[in-house]
Every structure is written in structure tokens, then in C-alpha cells.
């Protein structure tokens, strides 16, 4: 059996131990095992080793395309970073970086090492989470992705309450468009996602809350006059996550419109932010149709909740999404249960 030490913060595993846990996680295939054994044999011959710090270093160099910026993120000097890269070049027998007028970039061999390093960091991170959860202890990293609005207004007090309950959990939060959050969840870069809108998600899913879609204007408007009045139209940002693209907000509004009018709205502006729509209305530039949650009493705007002709309210839903197998981790399971408890329907 080959033997090589793989380093994690405060821990060290021999290759046989790594292999055992990667098998338990179901992420060890023959090709990956062969590569690990080849590297073990290589390191044994050359006396070198590539530990977690080296993997992180390659990631930063790849992301920054600058040795200075990468060194700053690593909290080391640039000469120290350059020295270690040169050592790795000697160990692997290939060039890893090349300098040009725009800075530093990775060679094809360096790019491959960076990609492999990312995979190993992800797998070792999952192994560490698995080990931390073997005794059902709620500790370790919790990776959450949330739609920007939820991250700004709803998430902070929830995280504070969960952290007070489980002080040994480290939370990594990513905010972005709902479609971006879905993509991160598919790639398992996050464990729990909170998105706004409707998505064809077939694993764990829980409705957190919903809000009415409203007609917002400076003053009360007669519905029959809407086709002749200027509309500030919300246009969803262009981002498509493969088959997980959402039902556009605009389609929901269009369905409501066509039930009532035989002519299109008089769209004078298209913006990609609900807040911008509201500000345009506040300045007398027209009316808009957006989720009512974005309008507060302090805005002093007229707000009317919209309904379909069958009496069904027009609503925008916020969902918590996750993959079922991630509930095997105690930290994820407790967080999902906590969120469900906080958002009982």
C-alpha cells in the first residue's frame, strides 16, 4: 500500500485513511485512486509533497493572475510564494507559471494542477465534514447560497439564532441571483439554497414564505386606464442555469395583463431591479408591478394586491432547496430542520 500524508488544518491522514473515507463518501473511482497512487509514488521518489496550503496557493494564483495579490490573500510575501512555486516546478518537472506584460498566468500544466487542487480541496472538505458528523455532532462548515434580497433582509437574524444554538458551526454564505444559487447547488458548492421564483427542483424543497405581487403607483389608479399610462417594467437579468431556468417573473405578470386587456402595456422603461422600479415610481415616472415586500409605508406609495380572474392571488414564492443526501450531515440536517421550524406554513 502506498503511503502519503494529506494535510488538513490540525489533522493529517495517510493515503489508506483518505481512500477509506473517500470510498465511504462514494467519491472515489478507479481513475482517482490511480492518480492518488501515482502521486504517492512520485512524492516518495522525489521527496516532495503537495499539501492543502499548496492547493490553496494554486487556487489563488489561478483566480488573481497576479503573484502580488495571491501572496496578499495567503498572508505571505511574494518572494516566498515565488520560491514555493519554483520548488513545485522542480518537483513536478514542468513549468507552472509564466510572466507576461499583464501579470502572471498559469501554464497549461499549472492550470491542470490548479483544477486538480480544487477537486482535492472539495473532496477533502467533504471528508472532513463527514468525519465531523460521524458522531452526529453539529459542527464544521455549513455552505449556504441565498438570493440577494433574502440575504440582505431575512438571513442575518436567522443565522444569529442558529449560531447561538450551535456555536461550533462555521457558516459560508454566498449571495447572488436565484439562478446562480441553483447552479451552485447542482455543483454541490453549497449545501442549502434559498431562491425566489419557481424552479423544476425534484429534491428537498420547502416553502419559506411568499409575498403578493402588487401594482405600485404614486396615487390610486383606475385599472381600465393602465394601458394608456407609462409602465416601469421589471426585466429579469439574463442568466440561464441549463434546465433549471425559472419561470420568468414577466410571464406571470403578462398572464395577468392579458386576462384583462386586449392591448399591450405602454412600457417606457425596463430595469433589472425591483428597488429601481420603485424609485422610478417615487419620482413620478410611471407605475410598476413588483412584489409588494419591496414597498414599505415609509415610501408613501399606493399599493394594490393583484389577483387572477379565478380569484387566485398573484404571489412570488421563496423556497429552500437542498439535496436529500446532504441531510446525512448533522449540520445540514439541523439547519434545514431549523429553517422549517422558523417558517411553518
Amino acid at each position: 500500500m502506498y503511503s502519503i500524508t494529506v494535510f488538513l488544518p490540525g489533522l493529517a491522514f495517510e493515503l489508506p485513511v483518505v481512500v477509506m473515507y473517500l470510498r465511504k463518501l462514494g467519491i472515489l473511482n478507479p481513475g482517482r485512486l490511480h492518480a492518488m497512487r501515482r502521486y504517492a509514488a512520485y512524492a516518495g521518489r522525489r521527496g516532495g509533497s503537495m499539501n492543502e496550503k499548496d492547493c490553496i496557493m494554486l487556487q489563488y494564483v489561478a483566480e488573481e493572475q497576479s503573484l502580488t495579490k495571491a501572496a496578499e490573500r495567503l498572508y505571505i510575501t511574494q518572494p516566498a510564494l515565488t520560491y514555493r512555486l519554483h520548488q513545485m516546478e522542480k518537483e513536478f518537472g514542468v513549468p507552472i507559471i509564466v510572466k507576461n506584460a499583464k501579470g502572471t498566468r498559469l501554464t497549461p500544466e499549472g492550470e491542470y494542477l490548479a483544477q486538480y487542487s480544487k477537486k482535492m480541496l472539495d473532496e477533502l472538505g467533504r471528508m472532513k465534514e463527514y468525519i465531523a458528523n460521524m458522531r452526529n455532532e453539529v459542527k464544521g462548515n455549513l455552505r449556504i447560497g441565498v438570493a440577494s434580497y433574502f440575504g440582505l433582509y431575512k438571513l442575518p437574524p436567522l443565522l444569529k439564532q442558529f449560531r447561538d444554538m450551535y456555536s461550533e458551526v462555521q457558516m459560508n454564505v454566498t449571495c447572488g441571483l436565484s439562478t446562480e444559487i441553483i447552479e451552485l447547488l447542482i455543483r454541490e458548492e453549497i449545501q442549502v439554497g434559498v431562491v425566489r421564483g419557481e424552479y423544476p427542483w425534484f429534491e428537498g424543497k420547502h416553502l419559506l414564505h411568499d409575498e403578493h405581487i402588487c401594482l405600485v403607483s404614486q396615487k390610486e389608479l383606475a385599472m381600465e386606464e393602465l394601458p394608456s399610462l407609462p409602465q416601469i417594467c421589471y426585466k429579469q437579468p439574463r442568466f440561464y442555469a441549463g434546465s433549471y431556468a425559472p419561470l420568468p417573473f414577466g410571464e406571470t405578470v403578462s398572464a395577468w395583463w392579458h386576462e384583462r386587456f386586449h392591448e399591450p402595456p405602454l412600457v417606457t422603461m425596463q430595469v433589472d431591479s425591483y428597488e429601481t422600479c420603485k424609485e422610478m415610481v417615487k419620482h413620478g415616472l410611471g407605475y410598476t408591478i413588483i412584489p409588494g415586500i419591496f414597498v414599505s409605508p415609509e415610501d408613501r406609495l399606493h399599493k394594490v394586491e393583484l389577483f387572477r380572474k379565478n380569484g387566485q392571488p398573484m404571489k412570488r414564492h421563496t423556497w429552500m432547496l437542498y439535496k436529500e443526501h446532504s441531510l446525512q450531515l448533522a449540520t445540514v440536517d439541523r439547519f434545514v430542520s431549523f429553517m422549517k421550524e422558523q417558517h411553518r406554513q
Side-chain angles (χ1 to χ4, degrees):
M1 177 69 75
Y2 295 91
S3 180
I4 180 174
T5 302
V6 180
F7 294 96
L8 287 172
L11 297 170
F13 297 96
E14 294 298 316
L15 181 61
V17 179
V18 176
V19 169
M20 178 182 70
Y21 283 109
L22 291 183
R23 276 180 175 149
K24 282 190 177 182
L25 289 172
I27 56 178
L28 182 67
N29 55 43
R32 185 169 288 126
L33 177 59
H34 180 64
M36 292 173 69
R37 284 174 170 167
R38 283 185 61 191
Y39 179 73
Y42 165 83
R45 292 195 308 269
R46 302 294 290 267
S49 64
M50 183 171 164
N51 59 31
E52 188 190 23
K53 289 183 179 179
D54 291 331
C55 293
I56 295 172
M57 176 185 70
L58 286 171
Q59 291 300 294
Y60 288 174
V61 173
E63 292 171 6
E64 299 294 346
Q65 297 291 301
S66 164
L67 294 184
T68 301
K69 292 180 179 179
E72 289 175 355
R73 291 179 64 181
L74 291 164
Y75 296 98
I76 62 175
T77 64
Q78 182 179 331
L81 172 59
T82 303
Y83 176 76
R84 179 56 190 146
L85 287 170
H86 287 331
Q87 277 189 319
M88 291 176 65
E89 288 179 331
K90 291 179 181 178
E91 291 169 4
F92 285 95
V94 296
I96 293 177
I97 59 170
V98 61
K99 294 183 178 180
N100 55 31
K102 295 183 179 180
T104 303
R105 64 176 178 82
L106 293 172
T107 63
E109 295 88 346
E111 290 177 356
Y112 178 82
L113 278 174
Q115 292 170 5
Y116 185 79
S117 295
K118 184 179 187 305
K119 291 178 182 178
M120 290 305 299
L121 286 171
D122 291 343
E123 291 173 355
L124 290 171
R126 284 195 290 269
M127 181 182 67
K128 188 178 180 183
E129 291 167 359
Y130 181 87
I131 292 171
N133 283 273
M134 285 180 69
R135 296 183 178 180
N136 206 34
E137 297 177 352
V138 184
K139 60 190 299 185
N141 288 323
L142 176 63
R143 303 189 302 277
I144 309 168
V146 297
S148 298
Y149 174 81
F150 192 88
L152 180 61
Y153 295 104
K154 302 289 187 180
L155 188 64
L158 291 169
L159 291 188
K160 171 64 167 58
Q161 189 175 347
F162 188 77
R163 174 67 68 80
D164 289 344
M165 295 167 59
Y166 304 105
S167 59
E168 293 189 71
V169 175
Q170 290 80 47
M171 300 178 187
N172 299 320
V173 180
T174 300
C175 293
L177 298 174
S178 291
T179 40
E180 294 172 325
I181 300 304
I182 285 280
E183 191 71 17
L184 292 174
L185 195 57
I186 294 169
R187 298 199 302 262
E188 298 191 7
E189 294 183 25
I190 58 175
Q191 296 157 322
V192 180
V194 177
V195 301
R196 303 179 76 244
E198 308 305 320
Y199 296 82
W201 183 258
F202 303 106
E203 294 215 39
K205 185 175 184 178
H206 182 77
L207 180 63
L208 298 182
H209 67 84
D210 51 33
E211 63 262 10
H212 282 276
I213 296 175
C214 298
L215 173 71
V216 181
S217 57
Q218 271 195 331
K219 59 183 181 180
E220 186 175 358
L221 301 177
M223 286 290 181
E224 62 271 15
E225 295 180 1
L226 290 184
S228 63
L229 300 176
Q231 183 188 98
I232 313 300
C233 178
Y234 170 76
K235 185 176 182 181
Q236 191 163 300
R238 290 182 176 274
F239 184 93
Y240 300 94
S243 60
Y244 285 81
L247 175 66
F249 176 79
E251 286 188 17
T252 304
V253 175
S254 294
W256 173 87
W257 183 274
H258 291 306
E259 283 185 344
R260 286 161 175 74
F261 307 106
H262 299 292
E263 52 189 308
L266 180 60
V267 177
T268 55
M269 296 185 190
Q270 289 185 328
V271 297
D272 63 359
S273 163
Y274 294 128
E275 291 286 355
T276 304
C277 287
K278 182 183 72 174
E279 291 301 315
M280 295 293 185
V281 173
K282 288 171 72 173
H283 285 79
L285 297 172
Y287 71 91
T288 192
I289 298 176
I290 59 175
I293 197 170
F294 287 91
V295 182
S296 65
E298 291 75 19
D299 293 318
R300 298 182 179 180
L301 294 174
H302 189 72
K303 182 172 68 172
V304 178
E305 295 178 355
L306 301 181
F307 293 81
R308 299 293 296 268
K309 276 196 171 180
N310 62 6
Q312 181 180 358
M314 297 262 290
K315 289 189 174 183
R316 183 78 159 165
H317 300 110
T318 298
W319 299 94
M320 174 175 65
L321 309 179
Y322 53 92
K323 292 192 173 183
E324 295 288 354
H325 70 78
S326 68
L327 297 181
Q328 296 174 15
L329 298 176
T331 302
V332 178
D333 181 64
R334 298 294 173 83
F335 182 75
V336 169
S337 297
F338 166 79
M339 290 291 282
K340 288 180 178 179
E341 182 69 23
Q342 296 297 313
H343 298 88
R344 287 183 176 179
Q345 299 303 311

